[in-house]
Amino acid sequence: PDDFEGDITRSNNLLGMSVDYCRTLSAAIFYGDWDRVNFLAFSETNNSSVVALTNGTLDVLVGGRYQQDFDFETSPELGGLYFSTPYYYGNESASDVVSIYSIATNEDDVMFTSYVNIVVMATIFAQENDIQKHKSRDMPLISIFGSDRSWVLIDAISYSGSYGELYAKHFGSEVVEETKDRNTLNEGGPLMLSFLSLYGGDNV
């Protein structure tokens, strides 16, 4: 993040939510251990964070806006990226470009990108089905990643809780569903808004 001062692992609001999605992913990968993650902060110069993701320095990139520029490989240094289901939409007016935040992964690792995406979707599924952190064992078992990974969703939600719990943790427990703007759950329809547009923009 540009001009960020402080402890990134103790941040709040959007940055803190991004950090917690990394920890949720850690819990899903390491059988409930949410603390098996190392954080690197980037002040963007020459797309340094994207280069780090492409060359394997990073496994995932969070806290940056979805960018069409990096959807496809443009050079050996800037490989194509995959963007997960968004976990946060900005509150810009409809006439402006809406900020969309998701977890970026290297598109060459199809299995891992699917794993990351299902972890993000798990938090939204948990909210839709009223599964909070203390009820994480109500999450379904899955077999798509192998029998030893059947508890992926349970492990993820045992750390993060539902999307609503994550949102309240970082934006205030007094936030109600009706005031979350584009981040409101669409009950009876799509779980979250789709990408509104494809656009370039600056990383955060």
Side-chain angles (χ1 to χ4, degrees):
D2 292 332
D3 302 320
F4 176 76
E5 295 181 4
D7 184 349
I8 193 171
T9 64
R10 296 180 180 275
S11 301
N12 213 328
N13 298 325
L14 178 57
L15 184 56
M17 193 178 198
S18 300
V19 166
D20 258 348
Y21 266 106
C22 289
R23 289 176 171 148
T24 302
L25 181 60
S26 174
I29 293 173
F30 296 108
Y31 304 101
D33 187 350
W34 57 267
D35 202 26
R36 296 275 295 275
V37 57
N38 295 318
F39 295 98
L40 298 176
F42 290 83
S43 295
E44 280 307 315
T45 55
N46 299 322
N47 302 313
S48 57
S49 61
V50 177
V51 172
L53 183 59
T54 300
N55 67 26
T57 301
L58 300 177
D59 294 310
V60 298
L61 179 61
V62 300
R65 293 171 58 193
Y66 172 79
Q67 296 184 62
Q68 183 186 19
D69 297 4
F70 302 122
D71 207 10
F72 303 99
E73 181 175 346
T74 56
S75 73
E77 279 194 329
L78 299 176
L81 305 185
Y82 176 85
F83 296 90
S84 73
T85 296
Y87 59 84
Y88 187 83
Y89 292 88
N91 295 325
E92 296 89 351
S93 67
S95 60
D96 296 324
V97 174
V98 176
S99 299
I100 300 173
Y101 296 87
S102 62
I103 302 179
T105 53
N106 192 321
E107 69 176 7
D108 290 340
D109 192 339
V110 177
M111 185 63 73
F112 184 62
T113 59
S114 298
Y115 201 99
V116 170
N117 193 56
I118 203 169
V119 169
V120 176
M121 291 294 295
T123 63
I124 303 168
F125 175 89
Q127 183 179 355
E128 184 181 51
N129 291 276
D130 194 28
I131 300 174
Q132 298 180 354
K133 183 174 182 176
H134 70 279
K135 297 195 301 180
S136 61
R137 292 203 176 194
D138 290 346
M139 292 292 288
L141 299 175
I142 61 173
S143 60
I144 187 173
F145 299 112
S147 58
D148 63 328
R149 295 288 173 179
S150 60
W151 279 50
V152 165
L153 306 185
I154 296 172
D155 288 339
I157 301 307
S158 70
Y159 170 75
S160 69
S162 69
Y163 182 84
E165 288 177 286
L166 275 174
Y167 194 97
K169 176 180 177 181
H170 294 289
F171 293 94
S173 58
E174 72 280 0
V175 174
V176 295
E177 192 70 17
E178 291 75 15
T179 64
K180 287 161 61 178
D181 299 311
R182 294 184 176 93
N183 300 293
T184 300
L185 181 72
N186 295 328
E187 295 190 36
L191 294 184
M192 293 286 277
L193 294 172
S194 60
F195 291 121
L196 301 180
S197 60
L198 297 176
Y199 59 87
D202 296 327
N203 280 342
V204 174

